[in-house]
Amino acid sequence: MSSAKLELAPAVPLSPATGGSRPPAWLGPALRWLLRLGSLVACVLVWEFAAASRLNLGLVTFANVPPPSEVGPAIWKLVSSPKFSNHVGASLTRVFSGFFAAALAGVLLGLLVGRSRRLEDVVMPPLEALRPIPAVSWIPLAILMFPSSELSMIFITFIGALFPVLLNTVHGVHAVDGRLVAAARSLGAGRIAVLREVVLPGAAPSIVTGLTIGMGTSWFCLVTAEMIAGQYGIGYYTWESYTLQNYADIVVGMVFIGLFGMASSAALRRLGALATPWYRLREKQS
Amino acid sequence: MNTTATPQGNIEIRHLDIHFGRGAARFQAVSDVDIQVPGGQFVCLLGPSGCGKSTVLGALAGHLAPSRGELRLDGEAISGPHPERGLVFQHHTLFPWKRVIDNVAFGLKMKGLARAEREGRARELLHLMGLEGFERHYPAQLSGGMQQRVEIARSLINRPRVLLMDEPFGALDAQTRLLMQELLLDVWTRVRTTVLFVTHDIDEALFLADRILVMSARPGRIIEDLAVDFARPRDALLTTTEDFNRLKRHCMDLLHHDRGERVLERLSPIGEANAKSLSFAV
């Protein structure tokens, strides 16, 4: 980590119009934000135009795509209906049950496997064999294996998050500086203390990365599982809207899936940064 | 604690051999090393890079198992790491996630002392090291010299009988290094403990030590046992005296026997410097 980071030069607006006087410094960032916002608005406008005019490009058609002017009111309708909390509550319960189970199992197993080669040889081969199988392809078997579809969906989100968390934890543990472990032992730390005081905090940044990735895959798996096996839930709502031909509600479902996924990942990153305040310092230093 | 009058911290190493690696890659790092250090002495192990001096230190710390020979502290055989044998590394071995005060107090936490008591004693040591005001800082917020002072304080809090130092000032700039050497001697007059200090810097060894053990290139053997009886307290002017330079020339002659041989990579006091080599069955 000794390589110097390249700093991007602060954005100075290219101003072909102004001959002599330079624009004030605040204009640079302001202009960039304006451009970003403008790009977003332009995309919504193109969508509105394509959907409203039922644009047909041959390969892809917008004939059945709801325009944003219909999606907006549909969002409001869903948010103000009692269905909303049912759907959202069902999805959040599933995603967090599966995710927390995976986080707990992944971190614990990762710490142990990372510290013991013997345990690694016992635990990892079966897991490595299962890893290439995408979590979503577990859905039919999961439905057969679990007594309720609720449990099978939680299982799918669990599988989705488990591997990123586990592998990042193992990686983090392996990357802990052996000299730190030696220093701790010379200061009187036993095995448990080494694990708690050195290995866990040392692996923490990597664990946070694993949890963030796992959160993303959890949502992805949940939505798929709900479309197939669910009653209630955002993914179920999206698919139901398709079968009921409420096309605007399809997009409403998509919007909320995106929002919740983004919010939970952001919350996790924030928590991770709070849990490892020293980590940013270290990066800055070296 | 100890009521007997005999001084503590007597080191005894007999016929020490240490090998590293397996199969064809196996090599001997240390060959037939005999060292006796009476308690309270400041001894420097001086030798070219990769000669195995850090390896001897690692064996004393209990992180490396000898292939042959025995190591004793006050008559007790050394069989693993122990807080009474404090180890100070070259750099970056403070726990980056712990604040300075918690790094220093770590040894007391391991002994099960209550927070108030361990922080009180950590504060005392930080004061001794001239680090008051930095208790709440993280290691990354300190300069290299300050980090090394925290390292030393972290070892001293366990009141070790022996302080094992592996080129602790090797990563510092010349100016800071000189200040640290003076600080170490000052601290050592107040916290009398045996010091075994590994260095490849002749000036550093002469300035600090009561006695210098010069090691040959790998496999490391002790080739000279040199008494350094400059008066204490010492200051930087000592390094300009006639006597100092005479001893320095003598050390250079000893070390330059090995000139022209390829420079060996530095050996770590914990063997292969990765976490795997230290992993254990949980």
Side-chain angles (χ1 to χ4, degrees):
Chain A
M1 283 202 240
S2 57
S3 64
K5 287 206 180 84
L6 276 176
E7 290 275 337
L8 288 175
V12 175
L14 298 169
S15 45
T18 53
S21 64
R22 293 172 62 89
W26 59 266
L27 202 64
L31 194 71
R32 291 194 67 190
W33 282 109
L34 215 65
L35 271 173
R36 291 165 180 172
L37 194 70
S39 166
L40 271 175
V41 170
C43 282
V44 174
L45 286 178
V46 167
W47 169 19
E48 176 73 38
F49 163 78
S53 63
R54 300 181 169 262
L55 185 66
N56 190 343
L57 299 173
L59 199 64
V60 56
T61 175
F62 286 81
N64 295 315
V65 173
S69 53
E70 282 175 34
V71 173
I75 290 178
W76 180 246
K77 209 182 103 205
L78 176 65
V79 170
S80 48
S81 90
K83 280 195 299 182
F84 183 65
S85 58
N86 285 343
H87 287 303
V88 169
S91 284
L92 288 180
T93 309
R94 287 166 194 153
V95 103
F96 283 111
S97 318
F99 174 78
F100 280 125
L104 203 67
V107 170
L108 275 180
L109 213 57
L111 286 177
L112 298 181
V113 161
R115 289 300 288 165
S116 156
R117 217 173 301 186
R118 190 72 45 84
L119 213 59
E120 186 176 3
D121 290 341
V122 173
V123 172
M124 287 313 276
L127 288 176
E128 287 290 343
L130 292 179
R131 187 156 73 102
I133 302 168
V136 207
S137 65
W138 277 89
I139 292 175
L141 194 60
I143 294 172
L144 294 176
M145 283 167 68
F146 290 95
S148 74
S149 59
E150 207 56 37
L151 268 180
S152 64
M153 282 183 287
I154 290 172
F155 175 73
I156 298 299
T157 60
F158 168 81
I159 290 283
L162 179 67
F163 287 106
V165 176
L166 175 69
L167 296 178
N168 275 283
T169 305
V170 172
H171 174 78
V173 170
H174 283 170
V176 170
D177 189 345
R179 295 174 318 149
L180 291 183
V181 176
R185 295 180 66 207
S186 270
L187 292 166
R191 289 175 182 193
I192 301 296
V194 165
L195 211 56
R196 190 187 61 225
E197 305 279 344
V198 182
V199 177
L200 183 61
S206 186
I207 293 175
V208 169
T209 305
L211 289 175
T212 314
I213 300 171
M215 184 53 99
T217 48
S218 267
W219 271 104
F220 168 81
C221 295
L222 172 79
V223 168
T224 321
E226 280 182 344
M227 285 188 177
I228 295 166
Q231 272 181 317
Y232 293 113
I234 295 288
Y236 170 77
Y237 175 81
T238 308
W239 189 250
E240 186 201 34
S241 306
Y242 166 74
T243 52
L244 298 178
Q245 297 188 319
N246 297 331
Y247 293 156
D249 291 340
I250 297 178
V251 181
V252 173
M254 290 166 68
V255 165
F256 279 111
I257 291 164
L259 280 178
F260 282 117
M262 192 172 72
S264 38
S265 286
L268 212 57
R269 262 197 302 276
R270 189 89 200 89
L271 284 175
L274 285 177
T276 55
W278 49 274
Y279 189 62
R280 247 166 8 108
L281 295 171
R282 202 153 91 135
E283 278 190 326
K284 251 189 256 167
Q285 178 208 32
S286 49
Chain B
M1 282 187 248
N2 195 324
T3 50
T4 58
T6 49
Q8 292 201 318
N10 303 289
I11 300 172
E12 211 180 328
I13 302 177
R14 285 195 193 285
H15 305 302
L16 181 70
D17 284 359
I18 295 177
H19 292 81
F20 284 129
R22 290 208 180 108
R26 187 172 163 87
F27 67 91
Q28 185 164 19
V30 173
S31 165
D32 201 25
V33 164
D34 277 278
I35 298 174
Q36 329 289 325
V37 180
Q41 202 169 46
F42 198 126
V43 177
C44 278
L45 263 180
L46 177 69
S49 197
C51 76
K53 50 196 191 302
S54 297
T55 308
V56 173
L57 210 66
L60 275 171
H63 292 299
L64 294 172
S67 338
R68 189 176 71 103
E70 55 185 42
L71 304 118
R72 292 179 181 279
L73 176 63
D74 296 325
E76 273 175 68
I78 288 167
S79 62
H82 194 284
E84 73 191 11
R85 281 170 276 119
L87 179 60
V88 177
F89 290 88
Q90 192 176 62
H91 64 150
H92 290 331
T93 49
L94 291 174
F95 304 122
W97 43 85
K98 288 186 186 291
R99 295 176 191 273
V100 165
I101 186 109
D102 296 321
N103 263 289
V104 175
F106 184 81
L108 300 181
K109 187 178 184 185
M110 294 301 101
K111 283 181 179 158
L113 265 69
R115 173 172 286 274
E117 188 175 356
R118 58 187 199 239
E119 288 200 348
R121 278 174 57 188
R123 260 174 234 284
E124 278 171 36
L125 266 176
L126 285 170
H127 176 75
L128 185 68
M129 287 291 170
L131 282 170
E132 54 273 272
F134 292 95
E135 291 86 354
R136 307 294 295 160
H137 284 58
Y138 284 103
Q141 295 170 303
L142 304 183
S143 69
M146 290 163 98
Q147 290 186 22
Q148 286 314 93
R149 279 188 266 170
V150 177
E151 279 250 3
I152 294 169
R154 186 175 71 168
S155 285
L156 286 179
I157 204 156
N158 285 318
R159 300 196 176 145
R161 292 191 235 172
V162 190
L163 193 56
L164 306 165
M165 309 185 85
D166 183 34
E167 304 200 26
F169 310 143
L172 305 177
D173 63 85
Q175 192 64 37
T176 312
R177 176 188 280 229
L178 214 64
L179 289 172
M180 290 294 294
Q181 288 165 357
E182 287 180 337
L183 176 79
L184 176 62
L185 286 185
D186 184 41
V187 168
W188 179 63
T189 58
R190 298 180 213 194
V191 189
R192 276 291 166 162
T193 173
T194 311
V195 180
L196 201 59
F197 187 107
V198 160
T199 181
H200 61 254
D201 179 338
I202 297 173
D203 286 55
E204 184 168 65
L206 285 169
F207 182 69
L208 293 174
D210 293 322
R211 182 181 161 203
I212 298 178
L213 299 170
V214 185
M215 284 182 80
S216 69
R218 195 188 296 169
R221 287 161 291 114
I222 306 287
I223 51 173
E224 175 107 358
D225 188 340
L226 196 68
V228 185
D229 36 25
F230 303 125
R232 292 185 192 270
R234 299 173 182 175
D235 64 44
L237 283 179
L238 168 66
T239 59
T240 60
T241 62
E242 185 76 13
D243 287 346
F244 188 92
N245 280 314
R246 193 175 39 75
L247 277 180
K248 182 173 173 179
R249 261 197 299 278
H250 180 65
C251 290
M252 285 170 98
D253 283 342
L254 287 168
L255 292 180
H256 288 185
H257 271 305
D258 301 311
R259 201 180 239 177
E261 286 183 19
R262 71 198 167 93
V263 176
L264 295 166
E265 65 173 299
R266 207 173 162 268
L267 295 173
S268 157
I270 58 169
E272 305 164 65
N274 63 43
K276 277 261 173 156
S277 67
L278 289 163
S279 62
F280 50 80
V282 181

